[in-house]
Structures are given as C-alpha cells and as structure tokens.
Amino acid sequence: MQQALSARATYARPTSSRTARRQRAGRSLKVRSMLDISFPPKEEDTSNGVAPKLGVEASIEHELKYRVSANNTDARPVKLYQSVAWSVHDRLVDAFDQTQAYWKEKDPKHIYYLSAEFLMGRTLTNAVNNLDLGGEYAEALKKYGADLETVATGELDAALGNGGLGRLAACFLDSMASLDLPGWGYGIRYRYGMFKQGVKDGLQVELPDYWLDNGNPWEIRRPETQFKVGFYGSLEDGKWVPGEEVIAEAYDVPIPGYKTKTCGNLRLWDALAPEEFDLEAFNAGDYSKAVEQKRRADGITAVLYPNDATEEGKELRLKQQFFFVSASLQDTIARYLEQHKDLAGLPDKACFQMNDTHPTIAVAELMRLLIDEHGLSYDDAWAITTKCVAYTNHTVMPEALEKWPVRVLAKLLPRHMQLIEQINSNWLDSITGHVTAKVEAELAASDAEKQKKADAAAEERKAALVAAEAKGEEALAAAKKMVSEEEAAEEKPADKATLVEEKLKTYSIIQENQWTKGEMLVNMAYLAVVGSFAVNGVAAIHSEIIKTDIFPHFVEIFPERFQNKTNGVTLRRWLAYCNPELSALITEALGTDEWVRDATLLAKLKPFAEDAAFRARWREVKQQKKKALAERIREQTGYQVSTEPMYDIHVKRIHEYKRQYMNAISLIHRYKVLKEMTPEQRAKAVPRVVVFGGKAASAYYMAKKIVALILSIGETVNNDPEIGDLLKVVFLPNYNVSEAELIIPAAEISQHISTAGTEASGTSNMKFALNGALIIGTLDGANIEIGENTGFENLFIFGVKADEINKLREDRKNFSDYDPRYTAALQMVSSGVFGRPEYFEDLVASITDMNRGNDWFLLANDFASYMDAQDAIDELYRDQEEWTRRSIIYTASNGFFSSDRTIDQYAREIWNVWRLEGSDYQRH
Ligand code: NBG
C-alpha cells in the first residue's frame, strides 16, 4: 500500500502557502473560492444578465485572433467553433458569477444532484439560445459565411454517460436553471467519455472518446477548490487512517437557464496525485515509480464505468463513486460552514439527490464526515443524513442494482464498512418488533391451518386402525406401524426465533450472495432506501413495481417514503433547438413561443390537426428532417436511402430487454415477404427505412451479437436489387446526443418495445412523441403515460402485460405456440442467409434453447402481436392525412413530459427547494 504524504524529496504540486498549511495539518484543501468576491449586477446589464465587454462580432474576432490564433482567412470550422464558443463562454461566466454570488447572498436551500453520469452532448447551440443570443450570433457569423448550425458541429459531444440516466441528469440541470432553482450537479470529469462506437468487418468496435481533444471552453478549472479523498488504510483507535490519498480538483460547467438570468453549475471533479512526480525515485532511475502516484490518480477519472467484471474493475468503479461523492459532500459542507456554524441546520440548506445507486456511498460518507471530521454523535449525524439524502431508482434490472462485496468495501473504505454495519444493525434492531409480530401472525395463521390438517389426519388414522382390527392381527400390526410412522413424520411446530432471524435477513443491507456461498454483499439500493427520506421511481408503472417487487419490505415500514416522479425531457434541446423548423411552425400556430417555457401550451395545437393546410406544412417539415437524416446515413454508412419511405427508428442502448433483436427478426420476415411478392404486389407494399442506433456495452456478449445481426441484415437487404427502396436496414454507428438531435426529428414511427415491466421509463419515447413520431410499444415504462395523454388509440400497442410476466417466464419450458414467421426468420439466420451462421448460433439459442438463455425477455410470446401492430402501421401510413393528423396530436398531447414539470415536482414534493424571487432574478 502506498504512503501518500511521505517525507521523501518530491516535487509537490504547487499550492498556496495556506493550502500547504492545511495539507500539513491533514485538513481539507478547500481555500476560499473566487465566488467569495461578489459581483453586484452592473448597470449596463442586458436583460439576460450578460455584460460583455465586447460586442458579439468583436468578441469572435478577438477570440479567433488571440485565443485560437487563426486569422479570418484560415478560420477552419473547428477554429471558428472554438472562437464562437469562447465568446459565448465569457457571456456565460458573467451570468454564472452573478447567479452564484446572488445565491450566496440569499443563502437559499440548494439541491445537489449527485450523478456518476451527465450526458451533456454539445453545448454551443443550447447556450447561445438559452442566453437569447441566437440572432446576434447568426448575424455575426455571416461575416465568415457560416451559420450557427454548421459551426456547432465543430464541437465534440460531452458523452459522460451511458444513456437515459445520464441524459436525464443533463435535462434536469437545464430545467433547474430555467426554473431559477438553486441547484448544482456533481459528477466526475472523465477524460474519456462513453467509448466511440465504430463498425469494422460487420462488428461493433470500441474506440476511445477523446472529447477534450480540442480543449473545452465550457468548463472553468478551479485549482483553488481542492479536497483530499482517502482510500484503503486501517482504523486506528476508531479513526480512519487512509493508505492512499488523491486530490479532487473542481471544474465548473455553467448551466444557463432558458431566458433567465439564472446560471446553475455542474461541478465535475478531476483526480490529482498529491505528489505528481517523485524526483528521488526518478533520480534513482526508477521512472515508473516516479509517476506512480499520478498514474493511480489518473486511473480514477480516466473512463466512464471501467468494466467491472474483474476484482480490479470493481474496486476502480467503487473508487470512482466514492471519489466524487466524498469531494462533493466535503465541498458542500465547507461552503455551508462558511456561513453557518451548526451542522444541525444542514438539512435546511442542502438536499442530495442520489441518481441511482452509484452515489449511495454518500449515506456512509456523510455520516463519516459528520462524526469523524465534525465531531457529531452517531445519532445526531444519522438524523441529519436521513433528512438530507434522497434516492431515485432507475432500473429493475438485477445487474444494475449494485451490490458490493463486503471484502471489497472493507479493503477500500474500512471506516465506511464499519459505519454500514452499524447502520444495518440499528436498522435491523429497529424493525425486529415489526418482524416478530409478522412472524407471530404468520405462525398463528399456519398453526390454525396445521391443526385442522392434523385433526383430519388423526381421524383418518383412527378409522384405518378400526378397519385393520376387523381384518385380524397381521393387518392391525401393519396399520399400527404405518400410524406411528406417519405421526413421526408430522410437521413439528416452527421455532419462532429461527423464523424471525430468517426473515430479518431479507431486510438486511448486508446479505449473502445467492450465487457464491459465504460471500457477503452490501446491497446499495437497500442502503439508499434506509438512508433516504424519499425514494422515487421514474414512471408511474415503475414506481409501483419497485414497491411490489424490489423494496416490498421497506414499503411495509415506511410507505410514505415512496413516490413517483415521471421523467421528462427539456423541450429546449429536444424540440426547440433540434427541430427549429417544427418549432417555428408551432410558434406561428400558437402565436407565441411561450410553449418552450410552458409546455402545457402545446395542447392548443390540437385543433390544427384538423386543418389540411397545416398538415401539409407539418409534413413538409418532416420531409426536410428526413432529408437531413438521409444525408447523414450516406455520410456514415455509404447507403443511399430515399426520403419517400416511412422512417422507422429504433435507437437506444443495445440490450436484450429492449428487444432490438425482436425488431431484427421482424425485418427478416419483412424481407422474406418482399422477396416472395410479385412485382404487382411489391408496387403496393409500404416502403420503409429502418434505422437502428445504440451502443452495446463492451463486455455485453449478446448485445454485440445483436449489433452484428442488424449490420448483417442491412448488408444483405440493402444490396439486394430486387428490394431497392422497399426496405433499407441501417445501423447508424456511434449513437449519441448529437446524432439523436438529428434522428429524432426525422422519425415517423419509433420503437419502444421492451418486455413489459423492464424499462423503467424511457425518455426517448417522450422526445419522439414531442417531435410528432408515432409510437409502437409495449405497455411499459412511460409508454403507458404517453398513451394516456395521447389516447391509446393513437399508439400501436402490443404484447403481454407486466403482471403476466412472472407466470409466462415460469411457463417458458412449455411454450409451443411459435409463430411460423418467427421460426422461419430464425431458420434463415441459422442457415446463413445473412452470413456467419456459427457466429449467430448463440444468439439464436438464447431464445430457442431452454437451457441457454431460455427466451428470458419473451420474444416468442410477443412476436405475433408485434407483427399485427406492424401491419397496422403499414396500413395507416397509406393514409398520409390521418397519419399527419396523429403526428400533430402527439406533439400537442405530450407537453406533460417536459422536464420542467418533473423538476417542479421534485422541488416541491421531495427537495423543498424554491425558486429565488429576488428583484434581480424575477422573470419579466
Ligand atoms: C435508465 C432506464 C430508463 C430511464 C432512465 C432515466 C439506467 C440504469 N436506467 O428506462 O433504463 O428512462 O434510466 O430514468 O440507465
């Protein structure tokens, strides 16, 4: 184990003398931040809080010349992007400084959104438009013969997230700022985001995502805000002495609200070594030792979710989680203590929302900080913690409900493991009475039942003896023997104490691994529920499922803790900015663009669905967006696709539960049917371009095969001259936020076909609906609420229901009702129509072989109804007027899914955080 602060001669990272003093004293490295200096709003402020020294045009020129060093003539797109970004950055910083100073002065309660993921995508367009500077920048860029849209493509996506969970966090930040809520996000500044997905030889390949390559104008490094974070070590006299330490350094990413002065913050942590370079080791020729500390620190913030299949991977991931949680809590407490003395008031000033289980170690770390660093008693610390922390569950997938081996936790965070044990033992003590009463009630019920059975059995035995006696000596002896055997085998009364102990185990935060005997695990979701004052799911059905299937024991104890907060998406990014053409049409129809802030206004679009001229214009916009997507498809894949067919989109992480595989099988069938048609029949078929996008986690074997299958189907179908434009199957690589912004507006139908009960919510379904794409889906996640808002008759709903799943899974062995289309399609895969039959063998077996995969996600059960829904889609598409009418209804009906609504609910019903209504911040 490494000693962090040794007395050896080293080159320490330069620190201020004050920092160095604190460091020696082993205290927090926090120094007063720049925000301590208040910037009173200046007189010349514009309405959005922007007080630039230079006008937009001059500032771009300035940045081009001095910051990125490119004169007008060689302003290549990336350089121009950088200059524009830096120019916007300066305006953001003005708004940011003023907001943060104002918040500090007013000292309202803050929400701190702790998340291992923030899938931000690009920032430029969003920042310019939220600051209401779109017109000015567009004008200034004319000089360079450029438009903002093109310049924006010079930015690399900040892909610090996997999918929905990370993007939700990003939408939430936008809404918090837009609603003037004092709130910060806290996360990790990964140097490489989610991997970049490429395609090679028909397979997914993963490449590093160098998103910081061109510099990042959207972040502000804060070397003055650093905290020490410890790992490993031991407990000495009850005190934790870490064996390794790193320094967390803050980077702030300003988050501009929509047309408001408020500019929130996303604070991301980078990890530094306390002693970056060991000169002594270097001089002694040990070069790798010289940079050992740096290497270890770098590892913590290198990549998003290192593969945790190995022990080292597990440890690194937990290290990441603890690293950012510890730094964020230390930071919050330090800022709190600048203005308050007594930590008992912390719950009035801070709420920590844990985004899934990744930040759950916050429960133990807040306890540790309060007890060990600030001298509070255990009970006082617990009272504070459980008033400050809330937890959102985002999945019911067992593999994503984190359980850390006690072994790993005890090694990496010995003090936290000790605290978790104490939390658990207090928790179990507190419920022993409840559990005992439950066992007693169960025993009483089963005793009465047993007594009845025993009485009946005794009667039967008596009768048997009487009958045997009549048959003579031998029969009587045999009957007596049987009776005594039966009596011996009769159930003994259960031991209450054992039963209570067994039952308590099911409530325990620390449990035995059901697959590895003897291995103890910490169930992080249970820790989160016990430590939080509120627990929520992310769609109505999901919030019910977590109550009945995931946390039923906890619901018994504190039913009031469980809530629902149906997800939402920011209408700025996901409608106004990604689809300016449709937005303009909506604004024209409604006579105002207020809908961007108040999404309920979209409902006023409904009557326009009945207006044929409006429908024609609506279709025109869709056509334009399809054209842009067709162009992207050509660039990325080489396939030429027409803009006439229906655009059918299936984009999301690749996962068996999301059933891209079922879609692929249906496309094989579609291909087969088209092949078998006569030319006359083909002329009547509804042509489709089917676009898939999504990343398969690098260690997810089946998901990668699903990607390969889609690519292979595309290869065969798209090159079949008989098929032509009737069907194209495209896998668009590297699906990310920016691709989504291009794809979603072009969609006519979008697929959300997870096995019912598995998709917590989905958020792309909301984005598609708002952009007027029709939905084919199961009764799962937010599809249900979209159906309620849009009218189920307007969706293509199919498949089994969530409450049928358990039974159907049990019955899979006996399933025989295979749809012949399904069987024939799979046969085509196995026989090599799409190449590489051996490679796909496992994939086919996963849904056909009862010993290998066992069709866990019930493709066979749902296939026939899925095909019926597909037929209904084709049928409706023939009627373009009705199709467009529905498309308008979708946009008009789904304003509910604005993340402004979601955040408003969190703020009122969980966080108790309120918008600031100071004179400087009032909306006009
Ligand atoms: C995802 C769910 C989605 C949901 C998002 C946001 C994880 C662990 N969960 O259904 O799969 O929309 O979270 O809540 O990524």
Side-chain angles (χ1 to χ4, degrees), residues 163-165 168 356 394-395 400 538 567 653 657-658 759-763:
L165 174 146
L168 185 79
D356 226 25
H394 290 269
T395 185
V538 290
N567 282 342
R653 282 180 296 133
Y657 87 79
K658 294 179 185 275
E759 185 70 274
S761 163
T763 41

Side-chain angles (χ1 to χ4, degrees), residues 860-896:
N861 298 69
D862 273 353
F863 192 77
S865 63
Y866 178 52
M867 295 312 290
D868 291 346
Q870 290 289 3
D871 291 344
I873 292 172
D874 284 339
E875 205 40 51
L876 187 75
Y877 199 73
R878 293 178 204 279
D879 181 352
Q880 278 295 294
E881 291 303 333
E882 176 56 18
W883 185 280
T884 316
R885 203 184 69 80
R886 284 204 202 181
S887 167
I888 299 167
I889 295 286
Y890 270 70
T891 305
S893 307
N894 288 299
F896 173 75

Side-chain angles (χ1 to χ4, degrees), residues 6-171:
S6 71
R8 281 176 286 114
T10 54
Y11 269 143
R13 169 165 291 280
T15 47
S16 72
S17 58
R18 184 170 171 184
T19 309
R21 268 203 310 281
R22 288 192 184 205
Q23 201 167 355
R24 274 195 298 277
R27 305 266 317 178
S28 139
L29 287 176
K30 174 82 166 64
V31 293
R32 277 167 75 81
S33 89
M34 292 299 288
L35 297 180
D36 294 358
I37 306 160
S38 59
F39 293 96
K42 297 187 190 79
E43 265 178 30
E44 68 273 27
D45 268 5
T46 61
S47 65
N48 54 19
V50 177
K53 288 187 185 58
L54 294 172
V56 165
E57 195 180 317
S59 79
I60 296 176
E61 209 170 304
H62 177 87
E63 302 296 350
L64 261 178
K65 186 156 180 210
Y66 295 106
R67 185 111 51 167
V68 305
S69 201
N71 62 32
N72 294 352
T73 47
D74 79 342
R76 286 176 291 122
V78 170
K79 296 237 172 192
L80 189 56
Y81 154 71
Q82 287 171 338
S83 320
V84 173
W86 280 111
S87 148
V88 176
H89 161 100
D90 292 355
R91 284 155 173 77
L92 269 180
V93 168
D94 278 336
F96 177 79
D97 286 348
Q98 288 177 34
T99 303
Q100 303 304 323
Y102 183 69
W103 285 352
K104 183 162 182 157
E105 180 199 324
K106 298 285 176 190
D107 192 28
K109 183 175 183 184
H110 277 54
I111 171 66
Y112 297 108
Y113 200 79
L114 305 181
S115 179
E117 301 186 19
F118 286 94
L119 198 46
M120 304 298 282
R122 289 178 177 143
T123 293
L124 181 64
T125 309
N126 187 66
V128 166
N129 288 316
N130 273 14
L131 291 171
D132 205 9
L133 294 169
E136 280 178 60
Y137 273 89
E139 192 54 38
L141 283 170
K142 281 190 186 151
K143 180 170 164 191
Y144 304 93
D147 56 52
L148 200 57
E149 222 185 355
T150 323
V151 170
T153 60
E155 181 173 355
L156 301 172
D157 268 44
L160 311 183
N162 276 293
L165 174 146
R167 184 52 234 176
L168 185 79
C171 284

Side-chain angles (χ1 to χ4, degrees), residues 113 117 162-169 172 305 355-358 392-397 400-401 537-539 542 565 567-568 652-653 657-658 754 758-766 780-782 906:
Y113 200 79
E117 301 186 19
N162 276 293
L165 174 146
R167 184 52 234 176
L168 185 79
F172 279 6
Y305 291 175
N355 198 25
D356 226 25
T357 51
H358 317 142
T392 305
N393 173 286
H394 290 269
T395 185
V396 297
M397 289 290 122
L401 290 164
V538 290
H542 171 239
K565 295 285 165 283
N567 282 342
K652 45 187 84 242
R653 282 180 296 133
Y657 87 79
K658 294 179 185 275
S754 48
T758 60
E759 185 70 274
S761 163
T763 41
S764 72
N765 42 5
M766 303 169 185
D780 200 17
Y906 272 97

Side-chain angles (χ1 to χ4, degrees), residues 323-596:
F323 167 75
F324 94 87
V325 162
S326 174
S328 308
L329 294 178
Q330 290 186 59
D331 188 25
T332 314
I333 292 179
R335 275 186 294 115
Y336 173 86
L337 288 177
E338 281 174 17
Q339 285 174 284
H340 308 272
K341 283 208 175 62
D342 187 356
L343 279 162
L346 190 66
D348 300 328
K349 296 294 171 189
C351 176
F352 302 101
Q353 185 70 40
M354 302 190 296
N355 198 25
D356 226 25
T357 51
H358 317 142
T360 303
I361 196 69
V363 173
E365 174 64 352
L366 188 52
M367 288 295 285
R368 183 193 72 86
L369 289 169
L370 295 174
I371 299 171
D372 295 358
E373 302 287 323
H374 297 281
L376 270 69
S377 71
Y378 180 94
D379 289 345
D380 288 346
W382 186 244
I384 295 173
T385 300
T386 48
K387 280 190 210 130
C388 282
V389 176
Y391 159 59
T392 305
N393 173 286
H394 290 269
T395 185
V396 297
M397 289 290 122
E399 73 268 18
L401 290 164
E402 291 174 305
K403 294 190 178 119
W404 293 112
V406 168
R407 181 184 71 250
V408 173
L409 251 165
K411 177 178 163 209
L412 188 71
L413 301 169
R415 173 65 175 137
H416 298 78
M417 192 58 237
Q418 188 187 46
L419 282 165
I420 292 170
E421 272 163 8
Q422 194 168 349
I423 292 168
N424 192 39
S425 118
N426 289 0
W427 154 244
L428 294 179
D429 283 351
S430 75
I431 56 165
T432 304
H434 166 87
V435 171
T436 309
K438 217 174 138 180
V439 166
E440 279 167 354
E442 280 169 16
L443 278 178
S446 79
D447 279 355
E449 186 63 23
K450 269 189 214 141
Q451 195 55 53
K452 241 166 76 193
K453 269 198 204 146
D455 290 350
E459 277 306 311
E460 267 177 37
R461 287 197 289 267
K462 227 158 109 192
L465 284 177
V466 173
E469 204 170 8
K471 287 187 193 156
E473 279 293 306
E474 221 170 282
L476 183 63
K480 277 186 177 160
K481 189 165 172 261
M482 193 192 77
V483 164
S484 72
E485 273 169 12
E486 265 186 28
E487 278 170 354
E490 223 166 49
E491 250 187 282
K492 303 278 169 304
D495 169 32
K496 189 172 94 184
T498 318
L499 285 179
V500 169
E501 204 173 299
E502 283 305 309
K503 201 164 218 74
L504 269 176
K505 281 188 191 159
T506 63
Y507 291 74
S508 178
I509 298 168
I510 302 168
Q511 301 166 329
E512 185 171 12
N513 186 343
Q514 70 179 114
W515 311 112
T516 316
K517 231 184 142 27
E519 184 185 58
M520 297 309 285
L521 301 173
V522 177
N523 184 323
M524 298 307 270
Y526 284 12
L527 177 62
V529 175
V530 172
S532 295
F533 67 89
V535 178
N536 73 285
V538 290
I541 180 181
H542 171 239
S543 296
E544 283 308 310
I545 292 177
I546 63 173
K547 284 203 273 183
T548 52
D549 292 16
I550 313 278
F551 305 122
H553 298 90
F554 299 87
V555 177
E556 278 168 22
I557 311 286
F558 15 65
E560 72 295 339
R561 210 169 271 196
F562 289 83
Q563 303 196 16
N564 173 50
K565 295 285 165 283
T566 297
N567 282 342
V569 302
T570 166
L571 258 66
R572 268 73 68 181
R573 183 177 294 265
W574 295 111
L575 182 53
Y577 307 154
C578 74
N579 201 345
E581 297 83 353
L582 200 69
S583 299
L585 192 55
I586 296 170
T587 298
E588 187 191 313
L590 302 185
T592 170
D593 66 358
E594 256 309 287
W595 59 269
V596 179

